[in-house]
Amino acid sequence: MAAVQGGLVDAVEKKDIKTEPSEDSGGNNNANDGRLLSPPPGSSASAPGGNKPPAGAPEDQQTLLAVLQFLRKNNLAESVEILRREAGLPEDALDLKAGDSAGAGSGGAGGTVDLEGEDASSLLSRVTVSSSAAAQAPTKVTPSEDQPDVNVVLSAYSQQGDPALYGVYYSGLKRFIESVLDCHRAELSQVFYPLFVHMYLELVYNNHENEAKVFFEKFSGDQECYYEDDLRVLSSLTKKEHMRGNETLLDFRTSKFVLRISRDSYQLLKRHLQERQNNQIWNIIQEHLYIDIFDGMPRSKSQIDAMSGSLAGEAKREANKAKVYYGLLKEPEIELPLDDEDEEAENEEGKPKKKKPKKDSMGSKSKKQDPNAPSQTRIPLPELKDSDKLDKIMYMKEATKRIRLGPDNLPSICFYSFLNAYQGLTAVDFTDDSSLIAGGFADSTVRVWSVTPKKLRKVKSAADLNLIDKESDDVLERIMDEKTASESKILYGHSGPVYGISFSPDRNYLLTCSEDGTIRLWSLQTFTCLVGYKGHNYPVWDTQFSPHGYYFISGGHDRVARLWATDHYQPLRMFSGHLADITSTRFHPNSNYVVTGSSDRTIRLWDVLTGNCVRIFTGHKGPIHALAFSPNGKFLASGATDGRVLLWDIGHGLMIGELKGHTDTIYSLKFSRDGEILASGSMDNTVRLWDATKAFDDLETDDFTAATGHIHLQDNSQELLLGTYMSKSTPVIHLHFTRRNLLLAAGAYNP
Amino acid sequence: MADREERRFAEVSRESVKLVAEGAGVELGDDVAALLAEDVCYRLREATQSSSQFMRHAKRRKLTVEDFNRALRWSNVEAICGYGAQDALPFRSVKEGELFFIEDRDINLVELALATNIPKGCAETMVRVNVSYLDGKGNLEPQGTVPTAVQSLSDDLLKYYQQITRAILGEDPHLMKVALLDLQSNSKIAALLPYFVYVISGVKSVSHDLEQLNRLLHMVKSLVQNPYLYLGSYVRSLVSSVMYCILEPLAASINPLNDHWTLRDYAALLLSHIFWTHGDLVSGLYHQILLSLQKVLSDPVRPLCSHYGAVVGLHALGWKAVERVLFPHLPAYWANLQAVLDDYSVSNAQVKADGHKVYGAILVAVERLLKMKALSQPVEGGSSGQPATVVGAMGYRVSSPCLSPPPEPLSEAALGIASHLQAGGAGCPWEEWTPVPLPAMYCELYSFFGDSLAVRFSTGPDFGSFPTCTPSQLRDARKEAPGPTSNPDTTRKMPQLTANLNISPRQDGSPRTDPPPPSLAVTGAGRALARSSSSSSSSSMQRSRSSSSRSGQRSAGLSRDVFPKARFTSPQIGPPAFTFIIGGRQMGRRCQGRRPFQTTFAPTPPHSAIPPRAYAHKLPVIGRVGKPVRRWACSHYSLHLPL
């Protein structure tokens, strides 16, 4: 533990230096991100990025005032101050009284917004300010006290039209769209769903309950089946009062529904609406929809269906334009003592190295920098310790014995069944070297098992440690208390089901997150809890260590993903933008990016350095519960409750494959060590293996797709499916490839 | 869609709201109640919606009360207590007040607190690994085998297990009874099931000890009858153990003093019990059982006691099984059996006694088959004039398998007016196999069993008209049926059945036209027999038609004349004579002789007179013949316990 400390502290100091300047840019970029969500460029310049004075569109100012009011109401004077300063509002815009701000517990971190604030609302408010989605986050945090904001949000619905005519308008548009040319029809049909929802909400908001019901019954059947869940929520909403605090509704109002439509189709629609003087619909389109117009051929129905399904429409094309350094970091130069077993690593170079880079393959790894890789020091990473180097050598040795997988050489599968897990197994993780397995349970316990003959031992107590000879060679053995040796250990501390679990790469720590809103760091030396990270005020659904250790990411019900470092009790970054719960989080192999999957059915890739959202992937039709990067960092696989696995090209920001076959939620995905095989485990008690090489090869050649962003997927799931393996009534909730490419699966036997 | 969705929602009517308000002492107006009801519905749906999220993240499919409470907690509503039970709560209604409530029993806390049988709780959570798919290929371990360590046993369970097995396999009959009773009613032994199943699968190691086998079978019975146990795929293992007891040429059966017949009967009953109560747990079980029974039956090398087991097993599985398996095999089998029965040599006495046992079993099975078939046949008045040619062509499908009821005393009407000529055999759901119509079947069976069949079948005067063959013809048929193969040279050496079919005696003047297929080989014998039997059945049918005018002429004397058993009996050996006596006795009260043969056969051990070991070598298969039959003093040691 002490040995760990030194390296980490060092890194932290670097990190602190690093973060100071980046903090601002983080804010800026969040603002940019926000702008993407805001009305079409031009009118949105008002988003208060950095220290610019706002452009002063009156409604924006109104929003800001509302936010300020809200903050002041909550005694967040400091935040108010900062916001006011950043927005360039005059002091008297609100008569601020200097409330007691001491309670916020700020460390007074200079000019930037202090992340020490730790108060979720203050942090959220910062995010809120920068995005134009004014009320979203605060509403979420304190849904009961946000009357002014909600009113601001909802007031957009106050416009009055003749309620009886809504149905006429809608069916008029429907008739029109059904009569247009086939090539346009599919594109224009996208308008139906957002229009339907907004019209329904308008009716409800204006207390036309019966009309709303009639409208819903008449047209809900026309909507695409993958919106069924949302429609169910919507149909239960029949009163204006219900709209308050309803998340789905707020998502709809606060984020513009994004549609991608070709210019021709858009013109067609526009002309029709203007000819008919159909202002009702036109207004909705203007206000609540973002139409991303592109030049070129209209997309086909299947193309549209592949990308749609998310809560807020598709991603805008600009959202995926940012450069992503998806390459891997350079390997540290550790000489591999092939013959001599116990030779120490000789490498003494000073630059930071990584412990567990997932490499493409051992032989082909060149020492020169990958052009797509981030610079080695882009994110400060902890230095390798001696033990890490040893582990690295072990890893390389194992890697030489790795089995080369392929369609003709499928991996063997070992199933780790949790027996008598009546309390409910909710999360599983293996260490990278497959020596330990840990399970999180619904009864708040965390259990760690050794899956090798080596038993788990605690470090001796402080008094006993004093007695041992610190100079001896086997001091690391001596500090262990043989009396505590056992096959498994139970860790108590959480007060709710443990939903996420992750080992640190050096096997010294274990990270768990729980329904109680905390993330806990456990020592695997003493088997005690070291830190409880509090920041999420709601259940935390997932957490994962960075592949280089030290950092970890978490995401939960509060829709904000947080980046933490183990020695900071507050988050370093907060990634906000999802419209619903973050259901799964993963680190990129180069530790420079994190990916989050959400129940708003989108996947977002975030830059750890800047805090920006650099990719938004839409196409899933259900909450995303599994994510996995390919070992070369280029691709992402995601699995959702709809039972489909989608493959994404991170560099181009494109969907490149769809793997159909599972019949239930996919809870785990894993690439083999060399990336040739993708394994997916599901609630339907099966493990399926997919030919990843083929899936990626087929697509990489297509230039047109890359240029336009319009994918055209052929349905080749059956060709890519290499095998389906049943378990004995055991849902597969975790998959892991050992260093030699043996596939381990885990789940609780469920008789 | 809206409608469909709507139905899946929780709905709380305004009346309910009013009632609840009244309960709380508040009087509500209609409009207020309506508003409240609507809001309650909405909140309920909202809570359900958010609780489903907890379910998804707990990686479950079932929404629990806990999930719902969590959702409530996060929306600042107090959790609902007292609904954590695993099983569904009974929802009752009171008619008068249109009230619905959940039954909430009073729990006697004192009793609960002072109870001594506090459950120990479940076993420790653990991780077990097994290599499921090697090289992505197959399973090393076939699906559905007994997992060796599904549960680790708590000390209590272990003790219980040891006591129970010791008691059941031990010497004390009273203790055994208690243990079996407990096994039958204990609700907490699910964890032990694999172990018990394993013990039972130990039957295969105690083939010398009938007592032990019997006890194990009782254990099976107790397990099967325990309402708290879900047998699941263990059924397969249990069935295979029971089948072992039915079919195996047990070492104990070498000694005729050992009553292995009862064991087989009991096991067969148990098999049918398992099948009828738990057969749905394992798909294709019925087919598997039938197949293995059929295999034994058609294997001439097997000893007669195995054949007996197969017949009894088929009988226990119901008449359909008999019709499906035994009946088609009968002609082939008959030849073998007859060869045994015809051998009067002293050395054959033991085998012959066994043969009679099999004969009796077949007779009983076949009788029930005929009865059930006749019962299941639709009564069609005046169908007697129907040409018999359509008999086989069309079949009435019986909708219900009509298997379970024991044969009722046959109503005369059912078999009444020339029902044997009615078109249509009892339909049978087997696709690959065409049912033989009842009359043809009867004729064929009659050709085997002669009057002993007719008599036991309780024909009565009406039915007397049924086998219209004259006694002499019957005798011919009787001779003819086994005829092709039963010429003395071949039948004597049953195992080396090299039928020379070309020289089969055909002394009858029956209008049979098709000559028996000239098949020669040993292996072909069975098939050839089957075919020739079908031809003989058709010929007998023709005869029966041709001579229908002479119905009712049969006289007792003639029948007795015909009664072929006489040929088998040899004066110096007891058992065959006994058979004859049965026949005679039943001839005397013809209408009542339809009870299963056990009542007349079984209680008299037929072989008592024969010195036990003298004929042991006659059993062809048992390799351990030379071994002296020993009784194990402390026989439960022979069971390998799995712990």
Side-chain angles (χ1 to χ4, degrees), chain B residues 249 295-307 333 336 494-497 522-523 618-623:
Chain B
K295 220 175 92 192
V296 169
L297 201 61
S298 60
D299 184 357
V301 188
R302 293 265 191 162
L304 285 167
C305 52
S306 286
H307 291 160
Y333 188 71
N336 298 343
M494 181 175 68
Q496 305 90 8
L497 192 74
V522 177
T523 49
K618 269 299 190 181
L619 291 171
V621 151
I622 303 170

PDB file of all heavy atoms in Angstrom, chain B residues 249 295-307 333 336 494-497 522-523 618-623:
ATOM      1  N   PRO B 249     -31.512 -59.232 -15.687  1.00  0.00           N
ATOM      2  CA  PRO B 249     -31.477 -60.608 -15.207  1.00  0.00           C
ATOM      3  C   PRO B 249     -30.673 -60.641 -13.913  1.00  0.00           C
ATOM      4  O   PRO B 249     -29.474 -60.897 -13.906  1.00  0.00           O
ATOM      5  CB  PRO B 249     -30.767 -61.363 -16.324  1.00  0.00           C
ATOM      6  CG  PRO B 249     -29.982 -60.332 -17.043  1.00  0.00           C
ATOM      7  CD  PRO B 249     -30.638 -59.013 -16.841  1.00  0.00           C
ATOM      8  N   LYS B 295     -36.561 -53.425 -26.805  1.00  0.00           N
ATOM      9  CA  LYS B 295     -35.261 -54.026 -27.096  1.00  0.00           C
ATOM     10  C   LYS B 295     -35.095 -55.325 -26.318  1.00  0.00           C
ATOM     11  O   LYS B 295     -34.662 -56.347 -26.870  1.00  0.00           O
ATOM     12  CB  LYS B 295     -34.149 -53.042 -26.713  1.00  0.00           C
ATOM     13  CG  LYS B 295     -33.004 -53.032 -27.710  1.00  0.00           C
ATOM     14  CD  LYS B 295     -31.990 -51.976 -27.357  1.00  0.00           C
ATOM     15  CE  LYS B 295     -30.902 -52.551 -26.487  1.00  0.00           C
ATOM     16  NZ  LYS B 295     -30.059 -51.522 -25.881  1.00  0.00           N
ATOM     17  N   VAL B 296     -35.461 -55.271 -25.068  1.00  0.00           N
ATOM     18  CA  VAL B 296     -35.328 -56.474 -24.248  1.00  0.00           C
ATOM     19  C   VAL B 296     -36.224 -57.583 -24.784  1.00  0.00           C
ATOM     20  O   VAL B 296     -35.825 -58.737 -24.914  1.00  0.00           O
ATOM     21  CB  VAL B 296     -35.687 -56.151 -22.787  1.00  0.00           C
ATOM     22  CG1 VAL B 296     -35.805 -57.428 -21.988  1.00  0.00           C
ATOM     23  CG2 VAL B 296     -34.656 -55.236 -22.196  1.00  0.00           C
ATOM     24  N   LEU B 297     -37.437 -57.189 -25.124  1.00  0.00           N
ATOM     25  CA  LEU B 297     -38.411 -58.166 -25.559  1.00  0.00           C
ATOM     26  C   LEU B 297     -37.955 -58.851 -26.844  1.00  0.00           C
ATOM     27  O   LEU B 297     -38.174 -60.039 -27.045  1.00  0.00           O
ATOM     28  CB  LEU B 297     -39.747 -57.471 -25.770  1.00  0.00           C
ATOM     29  CG  LEU B 297     -40.971 -58.368 -25.741  1.00  0.00           C
ATOM     30  CD1 LEU B 297     -41.083 -59.026 -24.393  1.00  0.00           C
ATOM     31  CD2 LEU B 297     -42.205 -57.548 -26.035  1.00  0.00           C
ATOM     32  N   SER B 298     -37.349 -58.110 -27.698  1.00  0.00           N
ATOM     33  CA  SER B 298     -37.006 -58.663 -29.004  1.00  0.00           C
ATOM     34  C   SER B 298     -35.636 -59.320 -29.001  1.00  0.00           C
ATOM     35  O   SER B 298     -35.166 -59.759 -30.030  1.00  0.00           O
ATOM     36  CB  SER B 298     -37.047 -57.559 -30.052  1.00  0.00           C
ATOM     37  OG  SER B 298     -36.132 -56.557 -29.713  1.00  0.00           O
ATOM     38  N   ASP B 299     -35.051 -59.369 -27.839  1.00  0.00           N
ATOM     39  CA  ASP B 299     -33.728 -59.983 -27.769  1.00  0.00           C
ATOM     40  C   ASP B 299     -33.871 -61.412 -27.258  1.00  0.00           C
ATOM     41  O   ASP B 299     -34.113 -61.636 -26.074  1.00  0.00           O
ATOM     42  CB  ASP B 299     -32.859 -59.154 -26.801  1.00  0.00           C
ATOM     43  CG  ASP B 299     -31.444 -59.676 -26.765  1.00  0.00           C
ATOM     44  OD1 ASP B 299     -31.171 -60.693 -27.438  1.00  0.00           O
ATOM     45  OD2 ASP B 299     -30.620 -59.069 -26.059  1.00  0.00           O
ATOM     46  N   PRO B 300     -33.764 -62.392 -28.120  1.00  0.00           N
ATOM     47  CA  PRO B 300     -34.027 -63.770 -27.686  1.00  0.00           C
ATOM     48  C   PRO B 300     -32.969 -64.305 -26.738  1.00  0.00           C
ATOM     49  O   PRO B 300     -33.174 -65.319 -26.077  1.00  0.00           O
ATOM     50  CB  PRO B 300     -34.039 -64.548 -29.001  1.00  0.00           C
ATOM     51  CG  PRO B 300     -33.255 -63.725 -29.938  1.00  0.00           C
ATOM     52  CD  PRO B 300     -33.387 -62.307 -29.524  1.00  0.00           C
ATOM     53  N   VAL B 301     -31.851 -63.636 -26.670  1.00  0.00           N
ATOM     54  CA  VAL B 301     -30.776 -64.137 -25.825  1.00  0.00           C
ATOM     55  C   VAL B 301     -31.030 -63.807 -24.359  1.00  0.00           C
ATOM     56  O   VAL B 301     -30.530 -64.468 -23.461  1.00  0.00           O
ATOM     57  CB  VAL B 301     -29.440 -63.552 -26.297  1.00  0.00           C
ATOM     58  CG1 VAL B 301     -28.283 -64.199 -25.571  1.00  0.00           C
ATOM     59  CG2 VAL B 301     -29.285 -63.756 -27.790  1.00  0.00           C
ATOM     60  N   ARG B 302     -31.849 -62.793 -24.165  1.00  0.00           N
ATOM     61  CA  ARG B 302     -32.138 -62.421 -22.772  1.00  0.00           C
ATOM     62  C   ARG B 302     -32.871 -63.549 -22.056  1.00  0.00           C
ATOM     63  O   ARG B 302     -33.662 -64.266 -22.676  1.00  0.00           O
ATOM     64  CB  ARG B 302     -33.033 -61.181 -22.762  1.00  0.00           C
ATOM     65  CG  ARG B 302     -32.339 -59.963 -23.287  1.00  0.00           C
ATOM     66  CD  ARG B 302     -31.794 -59.212 -22.143  1.00  0.00           C
ATOM     67  NE  ARG B 302     -31.339 -57.892 -22.581  1.00  0.00           N
ATOM     68  CZ  ARG B 302     -31.138 -56.905 -21.738  1.00  0.00           C
ATOM     69  NH1 ARG B 302     -31.359 -57.076 -20.452  1.00  0.00           N
ATOM     70  NH2 ARG B 302     -30.705 -55.756 -22.166  1.00  0.00           N
ATOM     71  N   PRO B 303     -32.652 -63.661 -20.780  1.00  0.00           N
ATOM     72  CA  PRO B 303     -33.368 -64.701 -20.041  1.00  0.00           C
ATOM     73  C   PRO B 303     -34.842 -64.351 -19.919  1.00  0.00           C
ATOM     74  O   PRO B 303     -35.237 -63.196 -20.100  1.00  0.00           O
ATOM     75  CB  PRO B 303     -32.690 -64.689 -18.680  1.00  0.00           C
ATOM     76  CG  PRO B 303     -32.124 -63.331 -18.559  1.00  0.00           C
ATOM     77  CD  PRO B 303     -31.736 -62.913 -19.935  1.00  0.00           C
ATOM     78  N   LEU B 304     -35.595 -65.336 -19.565  1.00  0.00           N
ATOM     79  CA  LEU B 304     -37.042 -65.145 -19.538  1.00  0.00           C
ATOM     80  C   LEU B 304     -37.481 -64.152 -18.479  1.00  0.00           C
ATOM     81  O   LEU B 304     -38.479 -63.475 -18.639  1.00  0.00           O
ATOM     82  CB  LEU B 304     -37.711 -66.498 -19.301  1.00  0.00           C
ATOM     83  CG  LEU B 304     -37.686 -67.373 -20.548  1.00  0.00           C
ATOM     84  CD1 LEU B 304     -38.053 -68.799 -20.197  1.00  0.00           C
ATOM     85  CD2 LEU B 304     -38.621 -66.821 -21.600  1.00  0.00           C
ATOM     86  N   CYS B 305     -36.694 -64.074 -17.407  1.00  0.00           N
ATOM     87  CA  CYS B 305     -37.132 -63.130 -16.379  1.00  0.00           C
ATOM     88  C   CYS B 305     -37.058 -61.696 -16.885  1.00  0.00           C
ATOM     89  O   CYS B 305     -37.866 -60.849 -16.521  1.00  0.00           O
ATOM     90  CB  CYS B 305     -36.323 -63.316 -15.094  1.00  0.00           C
ATOM     91  SG  CYS B 305     -34.561 -63.283 -15.340  1.00  0.00           S
ATOM     92  N   SER B 306     -36.106 -61.418 -17.772  1.00  0.00           N
ATOM     93  CA  SER B 306     -36.050 -60.095 -18.381  1.00  0.00           C
ATOM     94  C   SER B 306     -37.265 -59.877 -19.258  1.00  0.00           C
ATOM     95  O   SER B 306     -37.887 -58.815 -19.243  1.00  0.00           O
ATOM     96  CB  SER B 306     -34.795 -59.943 -19.228  1.00  0.00           C
ATOM     97  OG  SER B 306     -33.676 -59.792 -18.419  1.00  0.00           O
ATOM     98  N   HIS B 307     -37.601 -60.907 -19.999  1.00  0.00           N
ATOM     99  CA  HIS B 307     -38.775 -60.786 -20.855  1.00  0.00           C
ATOM    100  C   HIS B 307     -40.017 -60.544 -20.022  1.00  0.00           C
ATOM    101  O   HIS B 307     -40.871 -59.725 -20.357  1.00  0.00           O
ATOM    102  CB  HIS B 307     -38.931 -62.055 -21.684  1.00  0.00           C
ATOM    103  CG  HIS B 307     -37.859 -62.197 -22.714  1.00  0.00           C
ATOM    104  ND1 HIS B 307     -37.542 -63.391 -23.289  1.00  0.00           N
ATOM    105  CD2 HIS B 307     -37.027 -61.301 -23.264  1.00  0.00           C
ATOM    106  CE1 HIS B 307     -36.557 -63.228 -24.155  1.00  0.00           C
ATOM    107  NE2 HIS B 307     -36.225 -61.951 -24.151  1.00  0.00           N
ATOM    108  N   TYR B 333     -42.186 -63.636 -30.705  1.00  0.00           N
ATOM    109  CA  TYR B 333     -41.819 -64.071 -29.373  1.00  0.00           C
ATOM    110  C   TYR B 333     -42.435 -65.421 -29.057  1.00  0.00           C
ATOM    111  O   TYR B 333     -41.876 -66.241 -28.346  1.00  0.00           O
ATOM    112  CB  TYR B 333     -42.266 -63.025 -28.360  1.00  0.00           C
ATOM    113  CG  TYR B 333     -41.762 -63.319 -26.985  1.00  0.00           C
ATOM    114  CD1 TYR B 333     -40.404 -63.164 -26.704  1.00  0.00           C
ATOM    115  CD2 TYR B 333     -42.599 -63.780 -26.000  1.00  0.00           C
ATOM    116  CE1 TYR B 333     -39.923 -63.460 -25.463  1.00  0.00           C
ATOM    117  CE2 TYR B 333     -42.123 -64.074 -24.757  1.00  0.00           C
ATOM    118  CZ  TYR B 333     -40.781 -63.914 -24.491  1.00  0.00           C
ATOM    119  OH  TYR B 333     -40.296 -64.223 -23.260  1.00  0.00           O
ATOM    120  N   ASN B 336     -40.439 -68.531 -29.612  1.00  0.00           N
ATOM    121  CA  ASN B 336     -39.414 -68.770 -28.606  1.00  0.00           C
ATOM    122  C   ASN B 336     -40.011 -69.342 -27.345  1.00  0.00           C
ATOM    123  O   ASN B 336     -39.520 -70.309 -26.760  1.00  0.00           O
ATOM    124  CB  ASN B 336     -38.690 -67.472 -28.261  1.00  0.00           C
ATOM    125  CG  ASN B 336     -37.982 -66.917 -29.462  1.00  0.00           C
ATOM    126  OD1 ASN B 336     -37.774 -67.641 -30.436  1.00  0.00           O
ATOM    127  ND2 ASN B 336     -37.634 -65.649 -29.402  1.00  0.00           N
ATOM    128  N   MET B 494     -33.866 -72.685 -28.747  1.00  0.00           N
ATOM    129  CA  MET B 494     -34.372 -71.331 -28.930  1.00  0.00           C
ATOM    130  C   MET B 494     -33.303 -70.318 -29.350  1.00  0.00           C
ATOM    131  O   MET B 494     -33.504 -69.560 -30.282  1.00  0.00           O
ATOM    132  CB  MET B 494     -35.040 -70.856 -27.658  1.00  0.00           C
ATOM    133  CG  MET B 494     -35.602 -69.479 -27.765  1.00  0.00           C
ATOM    134  SD  MET B 494     -36.481 -69.064 -26.320  1.00  0.00           S
ATOM    135  CE  MET B 494     -35.173 -68.974 -25.131  1.00  0.00           C
ATOM    136  N   PRO B 495     -32.168 -70.324 -28.696  1.00  0.00           N
ATOM    137  CA  PRO B 495     -31.207 -69.294 -29.068  1.00  0.00           C
ATOM    138  C   PRO B 495     -30.711 -69.411 -30.503  1.00  0.00           C
ATOM    139  O   PRO B 495     -30.447 -68.419 -31.139  1.00  0.00           O
ATOM    140  CB  PRO B 495     -30.067 -69.489 -28.081  1.00  0.00           C
ATOM    141  CG  PRO B 495     -30.662 -70.245 -26.950  1.00  0.00           C
ATOM    142  CD  PRO B 495     -31.707 -71.098 -27.559  1.00  0.00           C
ATOM    143  N   GLN B 496     -30.594 -70.605 -30.968  1.00  0.00           N
ATOM    144  CA  GLN B 496     -30.089 -70.747 -32.331  1.00  0.00           C
ATOM    145  C   GLN B 496     -31.236 -70.958 -33.292  1.00  0.00           C
ATOM    146  O   GLN B 496     -31.312 -71.932 -34.007  1.00  0.00           O
ATOM    147  CB  GLN B 496     -29.130 -71.932 -32.452  1.00  0.00           C
ATOM    148  CG  GLN B 496     -27.978 -71.895 -31.493  1.00  0.00           C
ATOM    149  CD  GLN B 496     -28.315 -72.580 -30.195  1.00  0.00           C
ATOM    150  OE1 GLN B 496     -29.353 -73.214 -30.057  1.00  0.00           O
ATOM    151  NE2 GLN B 496     -27.403 -72.459 -29.242  1.00  0.00           N
ATOM    152  N   LEU B 497     -32.113 -70.042 -33.274  1.00  0.00           N
ATOM    153  CA  LEU B 497     -33.347 -70.210 -34.014  1.00  0.00           C
ATOM    154  C   LEU B 497     -33.089 -70.076 -35.508  1.00  0.00           C
ATOM    155  O   LEU B 497     -33.120 -68.992 -36.064  1.00  0.00           O
ATOM    156  CB  LEU B 497     -34.335 -69.140 -33.554  1.00  0.00           C
ATOM    157  CG  LEU B 497     -35.767 -69.300 -33.991  1.00  0.00           C
ATOM    158  CD1 LEU B 497     -36.418 -70.414 -33.198  1.00  0.00           C
ATOM    159  CD2 LEU B 497     -36.496 -68.012 -33.752  1.00  0.00           C
ATOM    160  N   VAL B 522     -30.990 -66.265 -38.827  1.00  0.00           N
ATOM    161  CA  VAL B 522     -31.389 -66.125 -37.443  1.00  0.00           C
ATOM    162  C   VAL B 522     -31.992 -64.757 -37.210  1.00  0.00           C
ATOM    163  O   VAL B 522     -33.023 -64.603 -36.592  1.00  0.00           O
ATOM    164  CB  VAL B 522     -30.169 -66.307 -36.532  1.00  0.00           C
ATOM    165  CG1 VAL B 522     -30.574 -66.081 -35.091  1.00  0.00           C
ATOM    166  CG2 VAL B 522     -29.580 -67.673 -36.736  1.00  0.00           C
ATOM    167  N   THR B 523     -31.323 -63.781 -37.727  1.00  0.00           N
ATOM    168  CA  THR B 523     -31.777 -62.420 -37.484  1.00  0.00           C
ATOM    169  C   THR B 523     -33.086 -62.171 -38.195  1.00  0.00           C
ATOM    170  O   THR B 523     -33.895 -61.386 -37.754  1.00  0.00           O
ATOM    171  CB  THR B 523     -30.746 -61.409 -37.987  1.00  0.00           C
ATOM    172  OG1 THR B 523     -30.381 -61.773 -39.305  1.00  0.00           O
ATOM    173  CG2 THR B 523     -29.539 -61.384 -37.077  1.00  0.00           C
ATOM    174  N   LYS B 618     -29.411 -73.068 -17.288  1.00  0.00           N
ATOM    175  CA  LYS B 618     -30.355 -72.883 -18.375  1.00  0.00           C
ATOM    176  C   LYS B 618     -30.559 -71.422 -18.721  1.00  0.00           C
ATOM    177  O   LYS B 618     -30.994 -71.078 -19.795  1.00  0.00           O
ATOM    178  CB  LYS B 618     -31.702 -73.484 -17.971  1.00  0.00           C
ATOM    179  CG  LYS B 618     -31.837 -74.912 -18.363  1.00  0.00           C
ATOM    180  CD  LYS B 618     -31.723 -75.029 -19.877  1.00  0.00           C
ATOM    181  CE  LYS B 618     -32.098 -76.425 -20.316  1.00  0.00           C
ATOM    182  NZ  LYS B 618     -31.972 -76.567 -21.760  1.00  0.00           N
ATOM    183  N   LEU B 619     -30.256 -70.553 -17.765  1.00  0.00           N
ATOM    184  CA  LEU B 619     -30.408 -69.125 -18.065  1.00  0.00           C
ATOM    185  C   LEU B 619     -29.225 -68.693 -18.900  1.00  0.00           C
ATOM    186  O   LEU B 619     -28.104 -68.717 -18.439  1.00  0.00           O
ATOM    187  CB  LEU B 619     -30.452 -68.325 -16.768  1.00  0.00           C
ATOM    188  CG  LEU B 619     -31.702 -68.545 -15.930  1.00  0.00           C
ATOM    189  CD1 LEU B 619     -31.536 -67.889 -14.586  1.00  0.00           C
ATOM    190  CD2 LEU B 619     -32.905 -68.027 -16.645  1.00  0.00           C
ATOM    191  N   PRO B 620     -29.474 -68.364 -20.078  1.00  0.00           N
ATOM    192  CA  PRO B 620     -28.355 -68.170 -20.996  1.00  0.00           C
ATOM    193  C   PRO B 620     -27.495 -66.949 -20.686  1.00  0.00           C
ATOM    194  O   PRO B 620     -26.297 -66.993 -20.887  1.00  0.00           O
ATOM    195  CB  PRO B 620     -29.039 -68.028 -22.354  1.00  0.00           C
ATOM    196  CG  PRO B 620     -30.474 -67.919 -22.112  1.00  0.00           C
ATOM    197  CD  PRO B 620     -30.772 -68.176 -20.693  1.00  0.00           C
ATOM    198  N   VAL B 621     -28.077 -65.893 -20.212  1.00  0.00           N
ATOM    199  CA  VAL B 621     -27.306 -64.650 -20.219  1.00  0.00           C
ATOM    200  C   VAL B 621     -26.468 -64.435 -18.981  1.00  0.00           C
ATOM    201  O   VAL B 621     -25.354 -63.960 -19.043  1.00  0.00           O
ATOM    202  CB  VAL B 621     -28.247 -63.457 -20.435  1.00  0.00           C
ATOM    203  CG1 VAL B 621     -27.697 -62.212 -19.776  1.00  0.00           C
ATOM    204  CG2 VAL B 621     -28.392 -63.229 -21.922  1.00  0.00           C
ATOM    205  N   ILE B 622     -27.004 -64.806 -17.888  1.00  0.00           N
ATOM    206  CA  ILE B 622     -26.322 -64.432 -16.658  1.00  0.00           C
ATOM    207  C   ILE B 622     -24.940 -65.068 -16.612  1.00  0.00           C
ATOM    208  O   ILE B 622     -24.792 -66.272 -16.527  1.00  0.00           O
ATOM    209  CB  ILE B 622     -27.147 -64.866 -15.452  1.00  0.00           C
ATOM    210  CG1 ILE B 622     -28.514 -64.231 -15.551  1.00  0.00           C
ATOM    211  CG2 ILE B 622     -26.455 -64.494 -14.174  1.00  0.00           C
ATOM    212  CD1 ILE B 622     -29.480 -64.752 -14.578  1.00  0.00           C
ATOM    213  N   GLY B 623     -24.005 -64.253 -16.642  1.00  0.00           N
ATOM    214  CA  GLY B 623     -22.651 -64.775 -16.688  1.00  0.00           C
ATOM    215  C   GLY B 623     -22.182 -65.268 -15.345  1.00  0.00           C
ATOM    216  O   GLY B 623     -21.260 -66.060 -15.239  1.00  0.00           O
TER     217      GLY B 623
END
